[in-house]
Amino acid sequence: MTSVPEIRIADGVSIPQLGFGVYQVPPETTEAAVTMALEVGYRHIDTAQMYGNEQGVGDALKASGLSRDELFVTSKLNNGFHRRDDALREAEKSVERLGGPMDLFLIHWPLPTIDVDYLETWKAMIEIRDAGLTRAIGVSNFQVPHLERIIAETGVKPAVNQIEVHPYLTNDTVRGYNAEQGIATEAWSPIAQGAVLDDPAIAAIAERLGKTTAQVTLRWHIQRNDIVFPKSVTRSRVEENFQLFDFELTDADIQAITALNKDHRTGPDPDTFDYVPA
Ligand code: NAD
């Protein structure tokens, strides 16, 4: 079986660089999708309270018969739960649904414009880690000023910052700050939800290497040392996205793909994205 490289993100915690994302996988089909990904060889699953499918992830992990230390599970605190007591209570619910402590728990969005300060939330995350509900804590969609503030105020660095990164949004400023601080970058929507797959420059590289444009794009992330978890529920694509370790891009390929950046977001802007209760 292909062995996926691991990246060390915190004391005693390493994460497989390639995982399986379950955003927009319906709760009722999540157990089957995750079971399929585990059969293909994935050992790292990226879910979130917001996705409503943690139970399906937990059921698949349990049914797999794999031991918990062979698996890596990330979840994320939902936007309505930024207050300390809410965060602790909801982290416990995630642990219950996932069938055991998480490996990595993230603040999903900073929500800098709401009346709960994300600094309170980050302090709650530290408590959640210290209570043993997760092995490592991190953030998602944090911009540089958000990171600077939580680090300055608590002295605790997030293990990872999960941000939107793909060839059309290289997100250099945040990615650069992460690297400077020793915070691992996780690249969400790594193929821009499919938008980069018809790009002629990526297609030319893919044709030369006999690979697909999805594989070339995912390999670009891997060689830049970012962590990725593409999402698909189609077995052939889930298999295709796992075959990234039998070829290499040249430096020129990497530069050509990086040069495609046009600061194009597929998701919301973290500086303005707000929480509106349902
Ligand atoms: P993605 O870039 O992984 O693209 C998914 C889309 O591409 C799906 O429509 C899928 O059918 C298609 N696809 C996947 N593999 C393909 C292939 N080989 N060939 C052709 N089409 C293919 O986008 P995503 O799902 O938004 O992101 C991946 C993961 O990132 C999510 O599942 C989630 O875990 C995470 N995520 C996190 C945040 C956040 O705010 N932290 C936001 C979005 C996504």
Side-chain angles (χ1 to χ4, degrees):
M1 185 173 286
T2 309
S3 92
V4 172
E6 301 224 332
I7 292 186
R8 190 185 154 93
I9 55 165
D11 278 350
V13 183
S14 296
I15 185 170
Q17 201 184 357
L18 173 65
F20 182 67
V22 294
Y23 175 45
Q24 291 177 328
V25 179
E28 59 279 11
T29 55
T30 299
E31 181 179 355
V34 172
T35 298
M36 184 239 299
L38 295 174
E39 282 166 11
V40 170
Y42 293 79
R43 293 291 178 265
H44 160 194
I45 310 295
D46 185 88
T47 183
Q49 293 172 348
M50 191 192 291
Y51 306 164
N53 56 20
E54 287 174 315
Q55 188 64 54
V57 173
D59 291 346
L61 300 183
K62 191 170 172 206
S64 73
L66 291 162
S67 78
R68 204 48 195 74
D69 58 10
E70 293 176 80
L71 297 162
F72 193 100
V73 187
T74 301
S75 192
K76 314 183 192 88
L77 180 72
N78 208 351
N79 291 334
F81 305 130
H82 273 210
R83 289 192 191 283
R84 183 230 174 237
D85 292 357
D86 294 339
L88 264 85
R89 184 193 63 239
E90 295 302 318
E92 280 176 13
K93 287 193 199 166
S94 284
V95 167
E96 229 166 84
R97 289 186 289 258
L98 292 166
M102 298 172 275
D103 295 287
L104 178 62
F105 191 48
L106 311 179
I107 301 179
H108 206 146
W109 288 89
L111 308 177
T113 63
I114 64 165
D115 63 350
V116 190
D117 187 342
Y118 57 82
L119 178 59
E120 171 179 340
T121 319
W122 182 241
K123 289 178 179 166
M125 295 294 280
I126 296 167
E127 282 191 64
I128 286 166
R129 181 196 60 191
D130 292 348
L133 301 175
T134 181
R135 296 167 68 216
I137 50 173
V139 295
S140 178
N141 300 302
F142 271 46
Q143 304 279 55
V144 173
H146 310 142
L147 293 168
E148 283 175 339
R149 187 157 168 261
I150 60 170
I151 295 169
E153 295 285 339
T154 66
V156 178
K157 288 184 186 178
V160 313
N161 185 15
Q162 182 178 127
I163 54 174
E164 183 176 350
V165 182
H166 45 70
Y168 292 164
L169 179 74
T170 49
N171 220 335
D172 294 329
T173 306
V174 182
R175 209 174 152 269
Y177 184 80
N178 288 347
E180 244 173 60
Q181 294 294 321
I183 299 169
T185 296
E186 297 195 322
W188 64 254
S189 293
I191 55 173
Q193 298 195 333
V196 301
L197 299 183
D198 293 327
D199 188 278
I202 300 175
I205 295 168
E207 199 180 338
R208 190 189 84 231
L209 294 170
K211 295 288 170 186
T212 67
T213 51
Q215 288 170 322
V216 166
T217 306
L218 294 169
R219 180 74 205 178
W220 171 80
H221 288 283
I222 296 285
Q223 287 187 222
R224 283 158 44 99
N225 294 323
D226 288 354
I227 298 157
V228 281
F229 23 81
K231 176 256 169 181
S232 171
V233 291
T234 307
R235 189 174 189 114
S236 57
R237 288 175 172 172
V238 174
E239 285 171 350
E240 175 186 327
N241 296 345
F242 198 66
Q243 299 307 318
L244 307 181
F245 303 102
D246 57 352
F247 72 106
E248 269 191 32
L249 302 176
T250 64
D251 290 346
D253 293 335
I254 291 178
Q255 279 162 24
I257 297 170
T258 306
L260 298 173
N261 177 48
K262 47 187 174 184
D263 293 334
H264 169 76
R265 287 188 188 277
T266 65
D269 182 337
D271 281 322
T272 53
F273 183 61
D274 208 345
Y275 169 65
V276 183

